[in-house]
């Protein structure tokens, strides 16, 4: 079933890309595997999926240690600075950097590990008080402040826009993230200003995200089905 779901998402991403004149290979699919046991991740890998996203450090640590080291893991949850050491060692990419203190902690631990850590800056495009992410107007200042952090490579931006009733509701938010990325690239604030990553679009709105320039869509429910919401797991301790 997971293979069928993956095939459907791949086909839909491809179709959306071609329909708006984009190269389908420029868009990666992340499988969001929160609350999915290691066996589910392995099943997705057997269907060719290599990039996975996790929201909770402890849950991720257990799974990552059991699975093929060749898999690429992205952290997409809220991260506390005092968990930066574990995050820097477990993950290839941290997508949720939204403040200097966290960036500095990740940089320090990446340096200690002798590794260059790829990060995305999470932007709170909808200025929602309950959500993580730097405010759009403060993103430039954060990226400037992160410049001296020699063990981090700021690859691009990530966002989780306000929950809309329909996919079209996300379009203005995706567009604003793209606009912001263009501005920041003009200021040469990314590691590679010619290839800026934009992580946006979920099961419900990834087609719109592709149309608005996503380079990575983060798909959970469509691949793995509805998962039980366990509130105790939603708080990273
Ligand atoms: C859960 C989650 C997703 C996946 O959402 P679905 O609607 O299940 O596809 C993507 N990004 C983040 C940050 C998430 O927490």
């Amino acid at each position: 079933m997971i293979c069928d779901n993956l095939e459907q998402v791949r086909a839909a991403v491809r179709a959306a890309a071609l329909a708006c004149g984009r190269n389908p290979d420029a868009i990666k699919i992340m499988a969001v595997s929160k609350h999915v046991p290691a066996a589910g991740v392995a099943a997705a890998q057997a269907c060719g999926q290599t990039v996975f996203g996790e929201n909770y450090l402890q849950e991720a640590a257990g799974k990552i240690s059991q699975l093929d080291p060749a898999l690429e893991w992205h952290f997409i949850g809220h991260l506390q600075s005092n968990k930066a050491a574990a995050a820097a060692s477990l993950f290839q990419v941290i997508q949720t950097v939204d403040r200097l203190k966290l960036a500095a902690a990740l940089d320090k631990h990446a340096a200690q590990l002798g590794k260059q850590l790829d990060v995305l800056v999470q932007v709170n495009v909808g200025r929602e008080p309950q959500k993580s992410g730097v405010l759009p107007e403060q993103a430039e200042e954060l990226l400037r402040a992160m410049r001296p952090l020699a063990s981090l490579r700021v690859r691009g931006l990530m966002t989780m826009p306000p929950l809309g009733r329909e996919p079209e509701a996300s379009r203005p938010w995706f567009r604003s993230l793209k606009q912001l990325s263009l501005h920041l690239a003009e200021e040469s604030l990314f590691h590679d200003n010619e290839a800026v990553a934009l992580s946006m679009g979920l099961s419900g709105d990834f087609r719109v995200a592709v149309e608005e320039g996503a380079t990575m869509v983060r798909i959970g429910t469509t691949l793995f089905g509805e998962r039980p919401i366990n509130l105790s797991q939603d708080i990273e301790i």
Side-chain angles (χ1 to χ4, degrees):
M1 195 184 73
I2 174 74
C3 288
D4 291 344
N5 296 348
L6 260 170
E7 272 315 315
Q8 277 173 25
V9 171
R10 286 180 190 137
V13 166
R14 176 163 281 274
L18 291 174
C20 65
R22 294 189 62 201
N23 175 2
D25 299 332
I27 302 140
K28 281 196 198 170
I29 297 167
M30 171 205 289
V32 177
S33 48
K34 62 177 172 229
H35 307 325
V36 175
V41 174
Q45 185 188 13
C47 321
Q49 180 66 27
T50 55
V51 180
F52 293 87
E54 288 283 340
N55 296 59
Y56 312 105
L57 267 183
Q58 273 181 336
E59 182 191 332
K63 278 187 246 180
I64 293 171
S65 65
Q66 296 174 53
L67 289 159
D68 186 347
L71 296 180
E72 181 179 315
W73 294 94
H74 293 232
F75 189 75
I76 57 172
H78 180 72
L79 187 56
Q80 291 171 337
S81 302
N82 62 0
K83 299 284 166 56
S89 77
L90 284 168
F91 290 87
Q92 280 75 45
V93 185
I94 308 293
Q95 295 209 355
T96 50
V97 174
D98 61 358
R99 56 204 189 277
L100 186 58
K101 187 183 174 197
L102 173 60
L106 287 168
D107 178 65
K108 184 179 102 180
H109 292 292
Q112 283 170 4
L113 292 162
K115 119 182 204 185
Q116 290 282 305
L117 184 61
D118 287 326
V119 301
L120 303 184
V121 166
Q122 182 179 5
V123 183
N124 185 356
V125 286
R127 295 182 174 76
E128 295 171 282
Q130 78 280 15
K131 267 197 190 146
S132 304
V134 65
L135 294 176
E137 63 272 21
Q138 289 166 4
E140 180 172 346
E141 189 187 339
L142 176 59
L143 266 73
R144 285 193 191 283
M146 286 172 66
R147 261 186 169 157
L149 304 178
S151 295
L152 299 189
R153 293 190 290 222
V154 185
R155 293 292 187 181
L157 305 177
M158 175 270 204
T159 199
M160 191 80 176
L163 193 61
R165 252 179 231 281
E166 44 176 67
E168 276 303 320
S170 301
R171 190 181 299 280
W173 304 118
F174 293 154
R175 197 166 281 180
S176 73
L177 193 74
K178 171 79 184 186
Q179 287 303 319
L180 180 60
S181 77
L182 291 174
H183 168 72
L184 298 171
E186 251 171 46
E187 300 290 320
S188 299
L189 290 169
F190 295 107
H191 179 76
D192 181 350
N193 295 287
E194 310 283 300
V196 177
L198 284 183
S199 171
M200 58 188 196
L202 279 58
S203 293
D205 55 13
F206 69 86
R207 293 174 187 80
V208 175
V210 167
E211 288 165 11
E212 297 301 331
T215 66
M216 177 172 278
V217 293
R218 309 185 305 267
I219 312 295
T221 309
T222 299
L223 296 180
F224 297 111
E226 296 284 348
R227 278 150 289 163
I229 300 199
N230 179 345
L231 283 177
S232 68
Q233 276 188 293
D234 283 335
I235 297 157
E236 184 66 49
I237 41 152

